Amino acid sequence: MATNKLQELTEQLYNQGLAKGQAEGERILEEAKAKAEAILNDARQSAEKIISDASKQASDIAAKSASDIKMASFQAIEATKNDILRAISAKVVEKPVEGVLGNEEFTKKLIMTIAEKFSAENGGDLNIVLGKDSKLQSYVEKEVSAAIGSGIDVQLSKNITGGLHIGPKDGSYFISFSEETFKELICAYLRPVTRKTLFGE
């Protein structure tokens, strides 16, 4: 009888302990599941943010690359157009202008026209610098001076190989007339017309 009671008590204690152990195990399991779910949610959110950031960064890089490529293409096309314009302008202008300032009659008319215009608008005395091999010194000192009714200082310079410099005697400025400046001047007027003809711009 006492043995039965002891056995019953033992079984009762065992069953209670087992029930408590199972309950505790289930609670721990539920907590573990909840923590695992929270970790998974955090991981999902982190992954989504990483993917979203990477996607935005990729879009930004693609947009910047497209913009850079567009700008580089535009610059390359413009540089090519300008090279074509320079080549055509040089071809058209080079031969006609070459040697034009070596033509004595043309240079005399040029000097007379500039001197008269300068004198009419500014008054004062002129300074003209010619190339060291120029034969126009006497012409300028006599005929041009007489025509404008004012003295002209004429200098010869080894730094001028073709053309002339002209300006006021005070040296405040001078204007250069050379084959290169003529070419540049003509090309400046020629390029817009050529550009429109070639590129429709």
Side-chain angles (χ1 to χ4, degrees):
M1 187 82 173
T3 304
N4 286 344
K5 287 273 186 193
L6 183 60
Q7 191 174 354
E8 281 177 20
L9 185 59
T10 302
E11 282 179 10
Q12 190 178 359
L13 287 172
Y14 173 77
N15 289 335
Q16 284 177 354
L18 187 61
K20 280 185 183 179
Q22 284 177 337
E24 184 66 17
E26 286 173 8
R27 185 186 66 77
I28 291 169
L29 187 60
E30 287 302 316
E31 282 182 6
K33 282 181 182 177
K35 284 180 182 177
E37 190 62 37
I39 290 167
L40 281 173
N41 283 337
D42 287 348
R44 281 192 202 102
Q45 287 174 4
S46 294
E48 284 170 6
K49 186 175 185 313
I50 289 166
I51 291 167
S52 173
D53 290 348
S55 177
K56 184 177 182 306
Q57 192 174 6
S59 295
D60 291 346
I61 290 168
K64 187 177 184 313
S65 297
S67 174
D68 289 348
I69 289 166
K70 187 176 178 182
M71 178 61 73
S73 299
F74 174 78
Q75 288 172 344
I77 289 167
E78 281 303 302
T80 304
K81 284 181 179 178
N82 286 331
D83 287 345
I84 292 168
L85 288 172
R86 273 193 293 273
I88 290 172
S89 298
K91 197 76 174 170
V92 170
V93 171
E94 199 168 306
K95 288 292 178 191
V97 172
E98 231 169 62
V100 72
L101 290 174
N103 181 315
E104 195 172 299
E105 287 308 309
F106 174 82
T107 308
K108 282 180 178 180
K109 286 179 186 175
L110 177 66
I111 292 171
M112 184 68 81
T113 302
I114 294 168
E116 287 174 345
K117 185 76 173 167
F118 181 90
S119 179
E121 290 184 2
N122 301 292
D125 294 333
L126 277 175
N127 180 50
I128 296 180
V129 184
L130 300 167
K132 65 181 179 65
D133 298 325
S134 175
K135 298 172 184 171
L136 299 177
Q137 184 172 4
S138 174
Y139 167 79
V140 173
E141 289 174 338
K142 293 177 183 172
E143 295 186 41
V144 179
S145 291
I148 66 171
S150 179
I152 298 178
D153 275 352
V154 180
Q155 297 170 357
L156 299 178
S157 171
K158 63 180 180 181
N159 295 326
I160 299 176
T161 53
L164 59 113
H165 291 170
I166 187 167
K169 276 186 183 177
D170 64 13
S172 55
Y173 69 91
F174 70 86
I175 301 168
S176 173
F177 291 91
S178 65
E179 282 187 6
E180 284 309 309
T181 55
F182 270 111
K183 285 177 187 176
E184 286 171 16
L185 182 64
I186 294 167
C187 284
Y189 286 99
L190 186 61
R191 277 186 194 133
V193 177
T194 309
R195 189 178 186 98
K196 188 172 183 180
T197 303
L198 290 176
F199 311 120
E201 297 173 359

